């Protein structure tokens, strides 16, 4: 199985504020060489599911997953599923957790998510949880005294077939974790990855284009291959150059070093 490098569109969110810009952006993404995309950070009022279907098909792009607001996923589950059906996407994800950051808070999230995950799974789709750095903080349960980080809590208390991870390697490393080791140990729960690199500029840790920083992507890529993770996405939350050029640099660097679709 060949791994595929896709474009997480949150990176180019400033270019997706209206339909015309979105059409232009998808053309540019395809011209770089990307074949898959994640829908995120776009103007949902103008860029409707029907437009997503039309434009991605025009540019031979496949929508693999989305970031969708948790309130919509929870309260408008059937509608969200139908929207994803329209543009051919089987993974419905959240961009981040915005609730109570405590052991019991994450447990309540898992309880709230259970019936939603069940509906999504019944529709032949999967729910995705995307991590940042705080998910690696250890929390103590007020009721049982158990200690675990948020990802451990989420993985232990959700359906392993219905809930997977969008694993962000950068945020794992930023938290002091070994991203490759995490992938090796938890590969069955990882649906896809988010990749960006880490660099030091002016004594500050910043995001940078792939293979221009300090992260050990040889080890990370080997772990992904061993785990059978197919979909890898370039997502650079902060870009210090033209965002399209940034996406091209990361794409070209990765394609030059690794055998990727």
């Amino acid at each position: 199985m060949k791994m595929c490098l896709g474009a997480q569109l949150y990176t180019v969110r400033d270019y997706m504020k209206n339909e015309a810009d979105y059409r232009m952006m998808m053309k540019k993404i395809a011209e770089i060489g990307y074949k898959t995309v994640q829908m995120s950070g776009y103007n949902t009022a103008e860029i409707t599911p029907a437009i997503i279907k039309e434009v991605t098909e025009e540019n031979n792009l496949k929508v693999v997953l989305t970031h969708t607001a948790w309130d919509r996923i929870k309260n408008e589950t059937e509608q969200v599923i139908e929207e994803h059906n329209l543009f051919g996407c089987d993974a419905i994800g959240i961009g981040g957790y915005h609730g109570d950051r405590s052991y019991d808070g994450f447990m309540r999230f898992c309880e709230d998510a259970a019936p939603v995950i069940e509906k999504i799974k019944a529709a032949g789709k999967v729910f995705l949880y995307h991590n940042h750095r705080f998910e690696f903080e250890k929390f103590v349960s007020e009721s049982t005294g158990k200690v675990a980080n948020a990802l451990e809590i989420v993985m232990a208390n959700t359906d392993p077939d219905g809930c997977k991870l969008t694993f962000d390697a950068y945020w794992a490393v930023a938290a002091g974790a070994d991203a490759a080791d995490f992938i090796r140990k938890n590969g069955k729960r990882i649906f896809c990855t988010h990749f960006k690199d880490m660099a030091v500029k002016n004594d500050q840790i910043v995001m940078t284009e792939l293979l221009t920083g300090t992260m050990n992507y040889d080890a990370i890529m080997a772990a992904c291959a061993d785990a059978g993770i197919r979909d890898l996405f370039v997502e650079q939350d902060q870009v210090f150059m033209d965002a399209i050029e940034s996406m091209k640099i990361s794409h070209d660097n990765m394609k030059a070093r690794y055998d990727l679709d």
Side-chain angles (χ1 to χ4, degrees), residues 82-122:
E82 284 305 311
E83 291 169 359
H84 284 66
N85 283 339
L86 183 61
F87 52 80
C89 177
D90 290 330
I92 303 170
I94 56 172
Y97 172 79
H98 301 291
D100 175 19
R101 295 183 186 180
S102 68
Y103 193 108
D104 296 328
F106 282 104
M107 284 296 295
R108 284 190 292 271
F109 169 77
C110 293
E111 291 169 6
D112 288 345
V116 180
I117 292 169
E118 185 177 350
K119 289 180 183 177
I120 291 171
K121 182 180 175 182

Side-chain angles (χ1 to χ4, degrees), residues 3 9 65 86 121 127-128 134 162 168 195 206 228 233 261:
M3 291 184 285
L9 299 179
L65 71 152
L86 183 61
K121 182 180 175 182
F127 173 77
L128 302 181
F134 66 83
D168 193 306
F195 284 171
V206 298
F233 286 89
D261 275 342

Side-chain angles (χ1 to χ4, degrees), residues 171-185:
W171 287 118
V173 172
D178 183 326
D181 184 61
F182 184 95
I183 293 166
R184 283 193 297 269
K185 290 178 178 176

Side-chain angles (χ1 to χ4, degrees), residues 206-223:
V206 298
M207 298 173 183
T208 190
E209 287 65 40
L210 285 165
L211 306 186
T212 68
T214 60
M215 289 176 60
N216 185 355
Y217 270 100
D218 287 345
I220 291 169
M221 290 293 289

Side-chain angles (χ1 to χ4, degrees), residues 133 170 174 198-207 238 240:
R133 181 170 50 194
Y170 173 95
M198 182 181 293
V200 177
K201 295 182 180 179
N202 298 319
D203 204 30
Q204 298 293 320
I205 295 174
V206 298
M207 298 173 183
Q238 296 175 310
F240 303 97

Side-chain angles (χ1 to χ4, degrees), residues 19-256:
E19 180 185 340
D21 285 352
Y22 172 68
R23 290 180 180 277
M24 175 194 70
M25 184 51 53
M26 291 302 94
K27 186 173 184 295
K28 289 181 179 292
I29 289 293
E31 287 173 349
I32 289 172
Y34 289 105
K35 297 177 182 177
T36 59
V37 295
Q38 175 181 349
M39 290 302 302
S40 178
Y42 59 100
N43 181 337
T44 56
E46 283 201 28
I47 304 166
T48 64
I51 290 172
I52 293 170
K53 174 182 172 62
E54 176 190 339
V55 175
T56 52
E57 287 182 353
E58 282 178 355
N59 291 283
N60 296 311
L61 293 167
K62 164 68 177 171
V63 183
V64 174
L65 71 152
T66 67
H67 275 171
T68 303
W70 170 240
D71 285 348
R72 286 207 67 220
I73 297 173
K74 179 180 178 181
N75 300 318
E76 304 171 24
T77 313
E78 290 80 6
Q79 182 179 340
V80 169
I81 289 169
E82 284 305 311
E83 291 169 359
H84 284 66
N85 283 339
L86 183 61
F87 52 80
C89 177
D90 290 330
I92 303 170
I94 56 172
Y97 172 79
H98 301 291
D100 175 19
R101 295 183 186 180
S102 68
Y103 193 108
D104 296 328
F106 282 104
M107 284 296 295
R108 284 190 292 271
F109 169 77
C110 293
E111 291 169 6
D112 288 345
V116 180
I117 292 169
E118 185 177 350
K119 289 180 183 177
I120 291 171
K121 182 180 175 182
K125 302 188 186 301
V126 64
F127 173 77
L128 302 181
Y129 184 98
H130 172 259
N131 68 281
H132 290 87
R133 181 170 50 194
F134 66 83
E135 277 89 357
F136 291 88
E137 179 181 348
K138 292 290 186 180
F139 298 103
V140 181
S141 169
E142 293 182 3
S143 55
T144 67
K146 290 182 179 178
V147 179
N149 68 39
L151 287 182
E152 291 168 338
I153 296 168
V154 169
M155 287 190 289
N157 294 281
T158 55
D159 178 352
D161 295 320
C163 178
K164 304 286 186 181
L165 301 180
T166 299
F167 179 66
D168 193 306
Y170 173 95
W171 287 118
V173 172
D178 183 326
D181 184 61
F182 184 95
I183 293 166
R184 283 193 297 269
K185 290 178 178 176
N186 301 284
K188 290 183 179 179
R189 291 301 297 268
I190 299 174
F191 178 85
C192 64
T193 63
H194 279 178
F195 284 171
K196 43 193 165 268
D197 215 332
M198 182 181 293
V200 177
K201 295 182 180 179
N202 298 319
D203 204 30
Q204 298 293 320
I205 295 174
V206 298
M207 298 173 183
T208 190
E209 287 65 40
L210 285 165
L211 306 186
T212 68
T214 60
M215 289 176 60
N216 185 355
Y217 270 100
D218 287 345
I220 291 169
M221 290 293 289
C224 286
D226 290 344
I229 299 167
R230 178 182 185 275
D231 288 298
L232 324 170
F233 286 89
V234 176
E235 183 207 45
Q236 195 167 323
D237 316 35
Q238 296 175 310
V239 179
F240 303 97
M241 64 173 70
D242 177 79
I244 294 295
E245 182 61 22
S246 172
M247 292 291 281
K248 179 172 171 44
I249 290 171
S250 287
H251 173 274
D252 292 353
N253 286 353
M254 293 292 282
K255 292 292 288 285

